[in-house]
Amino acid sequence: MYILEVLNGPLDGKTWPFEREITIGRDEAVAGACITLDRYISRRHAQVREEGDRLLLADLSSRNGTRLGDRRVTETRITPGERFIVGSTLLRVMRNG
């Protein structure tokens, strides 16, 4: 089990639990983590998913991209606690338990 957490802006501290994957976006019909207050986030922006013993962060062809550090990513491995940016929102995934 994992927790996706917002680390900045008006939703600072907001969390969403998930088991194997979560989609991040502005449309709650398709996003498990719906962030409507960030106008730079696409309807279906990014996804974090567990694949074996790894966590993968994937951009879903968003308009404004997904960044890990200072680089834009299409798909990359992340570790729990590592920070990434979707739109202008800073996020991290933590293990829960």
Side-chain angles (χ1 to χ4, degrees):
M1 182 79 128
Y2 299 95
I3 299 288
L4 176 67
E5 180 181 12
V6 176
L7 299 173
N8 70 338
L11 293 179
D12 188 9
K14 171 81 173 145
T15 61
W16 294 270
F18 69 100
E19 293 209 18
R20 296 204 180 276
E21 70 178 48
I22 190 164
T23 300
I24 304 159
R26 290 177 54 90
D27 184 346
E28 66 183 55
V30 295
C34 187
I35 305 173
T36 58
L37 297 176
D38 184 343
R39 64 189 178 122
Y40 298 105
I41 292 181
S42 299
R43 184 176 163 269
R44 284 184 74 244
H45 195 108
Q47 183 181 70
V48 176
R49 71 179 182 277
E50 184 182 61
E51 197 167 277
D53 62 345
R54 306 181 318 161
L55 269 180
L56 296 176
L57 170 64
D59 185 78
L60 301 175
S61 300
S62 69
R63 181 176 181 181
N64 293 302
T66 300
R67 295 185 312 280
L68 184 62
D70 61 351
R71 67 185 171 99
R72 198 167 171 161
V73 298
T74 52
E75 184 170 280
T76 190
R77 183 178 183 169
I78 59 171
T79 58
E82 195 167 13
R83 296 168 178 221
F84 59 95
I85 298 171
V86 172
S88 63
T89 301
L90 181 64
L91 301 159
R92 73 176 169 189
V93 175
M94 302 295 289
R95 287 195 188 277
N96 186 20

